[in-house]
Amino acid sequence: MNWEPCWLPAADVPETLRSPAQAARWELEQQNVESALSVQPQLGDAYEITDGPEGCRIMGGETGVLYGAHRLLFNRRVGLPLPVGMRAPAYPFRMLDHWDNLDGSVERGYAGKSLFFDNGDFSKDWPRLRAYARLLSSVGINVVCLNNINVQPCAQELITERFLPKVAELAEAFSVFGVRLMVSVDFSMPLSYGVPTADPLDDRVQAWWRERAALIYRYVPSLFGFLVKADSENRPGPYAYGRSHAQGANLLARALKPFGGRVVWRCFVYNCLQDWRDTHTDRPMAAYENFADLDGQFEDNVLLQMKHGPFDFQVREPISPLLLVMPHTAKAMEVQLTQEYTGQQIDLYAMQGMWDEISADLPRGTLSGVAAVANTGLSRCWTGHPFAQLNLFAFGLMAWQPMSSFKTVTRLWAQLTYSLQGVPLQTLTDSLLLSREIYEKYTAPLGLGWMVNPGHHYGPSPMGYEYSAWGTYHRADREAVGVDRTERGTGYLLQYPPALQARYRDPATCPEKLLLFFHRLPYGYRMRDGRTLIQRIYDNHMEGVWETRQMADKIQTLSAVLPEEVYQTVWERMEKQITNACEWRDVICNFFYRLSGVRDEKDRL
Ligand code: GCV
């Protein structure tokens, strides 16, 4: 094995394992832990750990015993007490969506090439694939989507006889760890196979999908189902035929239902051909506008997958109002581990704080699942930046228990991964806990987002999306910046329940980190601490760079305690992060200075 440490002890997974219970036994044996296992299938993912005169016992469903074994081993390795008691996951579906293409590239991937595909075919690196399934199961992830939701024409073949035997082989390997596979499908696929339309209400289309489903499940009876991006960023969808998204999703759901399959249907639907002059259309409103009225119209095997914020994985967004409605529809929240807008696994950005804030606004029982866009690939440490592993680890744990302490989760990951203790443990944990705020300070200010370089999305370009068709405008001019999303402006605010409307309506009480998301304000606007808006922007950006440097100094103190290769990778990236932070600071501050003509009070520009 030639990859770097992760939170599991290195071990080659034996090919002979056949079930999660066997995997659980093997995990325990690896670490010389004696524990009786009692499989009670009806317990599913849940487990109970008890300690008695005969020793400790894990009772759980077929997958539950495996999750219990990992939990027990985590605690043991870091010297925590035996985690006695009953545990069940908060969400039944804990999904990881890969945006992997068959040629081996990964859309928005920052961790090397695809784990699953290579040069138009499936990877044959079975030790690595088994290790990956093991890694995911150790944090309770139970569904993996193999391929990019932007389904390339050749990827349609994943659900043809050409590739189904290979999907089946992989599904079997992953099932040993309780992980089921899902595939992204193209809504218009019948068109490529001789059907003259993809209209969901057309009998021929329905028959085609029924037959396809039968074929798929003949090969892969355990397949979780389909993930679908439709009518989104030029992908085909039901709107082309004047049909609703419920009609579109139900077409596939009815075909999969006899086999127990599900349709995970994304709500990322908006007009990506907007005229920037149009100030009435407001992109964050789109998901709600397209879906909220469809509540109750979906088949019961449809799960609507909604991005956590109303835009698109920006550094800071409020909760998507769509997550708070549709009580009669199964919903999953989508987060993005791959750091497209959050530093691309060069800059540090630990995400759990963001999920905690969203979870705090979500009433219990709102969601049936959570999905994360994967941040993994063939990189030696799985995630490009070794510390980006934390986001995958924390995602898995959050799906079991939302709002567990960010600090505890981070410490646990750092202890398991690098066996750190004392000051180094504290140093790494503190750096990671602060990383999001630091990144936020030097990038787009106060909830604006989108000041990134178009296309690849790394580095600053304040006007990069301003005159584009993507609907992502900050509308900065010489007087003011931001979009008024209250009822006086676009009316986006009204999509929220009253308590959240009240939180965001008034600039004087709106959380400052989201101020410019909800409001358009003049540069002289007084912030709560008495500074002007523009001075705050300047100060934040200066602080962001200063804090990045401080973080770098702290991380340098870890050089002796981290494995050399890990430290080298971290340090190379840290240097790039400092350069990036300086670039952001200078570009953003100068941008606002040139527009407004307002000098920095401390004359630093
Ligand atoms: C896979 C953003 C990304 C796209 C991604 C899209 C989505 O727009 O830039 O790469 O497409 O989100 O979530 O569908």
Side-chain angles (χ1 to χ4, degrees):
M1 199 158 339
N2 65 344
W3 52 87
E4 290 169 10
C6 74
W7 61 83
L8 292 177
D12 282 319
V13 177
E15 280 175 54
T16 48
L17 296 181
R18 286 286 164 273
S19 69
Q22 284 182 12
R25 277 193 197 95
W26 173 75
E27 295 284 1
L28 292 162
E29 272 163 31
Q30 287 297 297
Q31 294 180 49
N32 299 317
V33 175
E34 299 232 348
S35 170
L37 292 188
S38 155
V39 178
Q40 312 280 328
Q42 75 284 2
L43 289 178
D45 289 347
Y47 62 86
E48 184 176 19
I49 296 178
T50 46
D51 197 12
E54 322 271 86
C56 92
R57 188 170 83 123
I58 306 173
M59 181 175 75
E62 176 74 18
T63 43
V65 288
L66 178 59
Y67 300 140
H70 278 296
R71 177 64 198 244
L72 183 153
L73 293 169
F74 283 174
N75 277 26
R76 210 167 163 274
R77 283 174 52 211
V78 302
L80 286 169
L82 193 69
V84 287
M86 184 86 195
R87 283 188 178 74
Y91 306 120
F93 307 123
R94 304 174 296 279
M95 305 178 273
L96 196 66
D97 297 347
H98 277 254
W99 288 354
D100 296 17
N101 299 314
L102 255 76
D103 63 5
S105 63
V106 179
E107 181 157 345
R108 310 302 179 189
Y110 314 104
K113 298 196 97 179
S114 169
L115 286 156
F116 297 126
F117 305 115
D118 181 23
N119 200 19
D121 205 340
F122 274 73
S123 156
K124 295 179 187 60
D125 187 351
W126 286 104
R128 183 101 200 221
L129 289 164
R130 278 192 282 269
Y132 189 48
R134 173 187 182 221
L135 184 75
L136 301 184
S137 76
S138 72
V139 289
I141 289 166
N142 64 354
V143 179
V144 167
C145 184
L146 293 180
N147 62 308
N148 192 352
I149 36 168
N150 290 331
V151 184
Q152 298 186 334
C154 58
Q156 292 191 353
E157 290 195 75
L158 286 176
I159 52 169
T160 66
E161 281 179 300
R162 170 158 184 227
F163 280 129
L164 280 169
K166 297 187 179 189
V167 178
E169 217 180 340
L170 194 63
E172 207 181 310
F174 273 56
S175 72
V176 169
F177 291 93
V179 181
R180 291 173 71 185
L181 301 186
M182 170 159 74
V183 285
S184 295
V185 300
D186 183 320
F187 187 78
S188 67
M189 188 168 164
L191 294 177
S192 314
Y193 288 81
V195 185
T197 170
D199 181 351
L201 298 195
D202 189 291
D203 291 343
R204 292 162 299 178
V205 175
Q206 293 169 3
W208 189 87
W209 280 110
R210 272 199 305 274
E211 282 161 27
R212 185 61 41 177
L215 176 78
I216 295 167
Y217 279 86
R218 201 153 63 233
Y219 281 96
V220 199
S222 69
L223 192 81
F224 183 75
F226 294 162
L227 176 63
V228 191
K229 171 174 177 178
D231 290 317
S232 168
E233 301 186 332
N234 308 312
R235 305 304 305 163
Y239 282 166
Y241 305 94
R243 311 300 184 197
S244 74
H245 276 255
Q247 289 168 318
N250 290 344
L251 162 76
L252 302 177
R254 287 179 190 135
L256 297 188
K257 200 177 262 185
F259 311 99
R262 289 174 197 272
V263 172
V264 183
W265 188 269
R266 291 177 94 230
C267 300
F268 184 56
V269 177
Y270 69 98
N271 176 11
C272 66
L273 295 172
Q274 191 179 325
D275 183 343
W276 57 267
R277 298 164 196 84
D278 164 11
T279 52
H280 297 288
T281 308
D282 190 16
R283 175 168 155 187
M285 298 172 78
Y288 190 102
E289 286 171 344
N290 282 289
F291 285 89
D293 287 344
L294 301 178
D295 189 28
Q297 295 182 29
F298 292 89
E299 292 287 338
D300 59 8
N301 57 335
V302 174
L303 197 58
L304 289 190
Q305 185 164 302
M306 305 166 178
K307 289 195 179 185
H308 65 80
F311 255 137
D312 186 6
F313 303 136
Q314 296 304 289
V315 175
R316 187 173 290 265
E317 296 186 40
I319 187 171
S320 164
L322 191 61
L323 283 164
L324 300 168
V325 291
M326 307 192 76
H328 308 293
T329 305
K331 299 187 287 266
M333 175 174 79
E334 181 177 343
V335 301
Q336 193 187 39
L337 305 183
T338 193
Q339 292 172 234
E340 177 178 2
Y341 294 99
T342 52
Q344 305 203 349
Q345 281 134 265
I346 298 169
D347 302 29
L348 277 177
Y349 185 98
M351 295 180 180
Q352 192 187 326
M354 169 164 70
W355 309 329
D356 290 349
E357 286 156 20
I358 296 163
S359 300
D361 283 337
L362 269 179
R364 257 178 173 278
T366 306
L367 299 180
S368 307
V370 278
V373 184
N375 60 351
T376 42
L378 282 176
S379 106
R380 284 173 55 76
C381 63
W382 300 101
T383 51
H385 195 309
F387 298 166
Q389 274 179 20
L390 169 64
N391 288 327
L392 178 61
F393 181 82
F395 169 72
L397 268 55
M398 177 273 276
W400 274 71
Q401 198 182 346
M403 303 188 57
S404 319
S405 147
F406 185 11
K407 189 170 176 183
T408 309
V409 171
T410 306
R411 276 176 70 90
L412 178 62
W413 169 79
Q415 283 174 292
L416 291 170
T417 308
Y418 303 120
S419 313
L420 297 181
Q421 291 174 343
V423 175
L425 176 62
Q426 189 71 30
T427 302
L428 181 54
T429 309
D430 288 349
S431 301
L432 290 164
L433 291 179
L434 290 173
S435 60
R436 174 176 172 233
E437 294 237 339
I438 295 175
Y439 185 81
E440 184 172 27
K441 277 189 180 168
Y442 62 74
T443 54
L446 305 167
L448 276 188
W450 296 113
M451 289 188 154
V452 284
N453 278 310
H456 63 78
H457 298 163
Y458 190 74
S461 175
M463 297 299 266
Y465 277 108
E466 204 50 21
Y467 300 107
S468 76
W470 294 99
T472 50
Y473 317 115
H474 50 70
R475 306 209 185 269
D477 62 21
R478 62 185 186 161
E479 310 287 345
V481 56
V483 173
D484 181 355
R485 297 199 156 96
T486 68
E487 46 274 77
R488 290 178 305 278
T490 68
Y492 164 77
L493 183 74
L494 301 176
Q495 292 184 346
Y496 283 106
L500 289 184
Q501 288 187 24
R503 184 195 296 168
Y504 296 127
R505 178 173 287 112
D506 181 354
T509 50
C510 175
E512 288 192 331
K513 288 193 164 134
L514 284 167
L515 196 59
L516 297 177
F517 183 93
F518 283 99
H519 299 281
R520 177 169 184 77
L521 295 169
Y523 296 115
Y525 176 82
R526 288 278 160 201
M527 304 292 283
R528 263 157 254 169
D529 61 8
R531 283 183 279 178
T532 60
L533 172 67
I534 190 125
Q535 191 56 42
R536 179 66 167 273
I537 293 175
Y538 295 148
D539 289 350
N540 273 3
H541 283 78
M542 304 286 170
E543 276 163 31
V545 171
W546 190 73
E547 288 170 13
T548 304
R549 291 208 164 103
Q550 275 196 321
M551 180 162 73
D553 288 347
K554 289 202 184 120
I555 282 179
Q556 232 169 4
T557 67
L558 301 175
S559 65
V561 289
L562 291 175
E564 195 182 326
E565 191 175 353
V566 171
Y567 181 75
Q568 286 308 333
T569 314
V570 168
W571 188 249
E572 272 163 29
R573 283 164 201 249
M574 194 74 240
E575 286 183 323
K576 288 190 187 150
Q577 175 167 3
I578 295 172
T579 309
N580 188 37
C582 293
E583 187 70 8
W584 270 97
R585 173 198 61 195
D586 295 344
V587 171
I588 300 298
C589 291
N590 277 285
F591 169 76
F592 281 110
Y593 171 56
R594 289 179 191 178
L595 262 187
S596 67
V598 181
R599 299 189 70 85
D600 168 34
E601 281 169 4
K602 296 172 195 150
D603 244 343
R604 293 163 295 186
L605 294 181

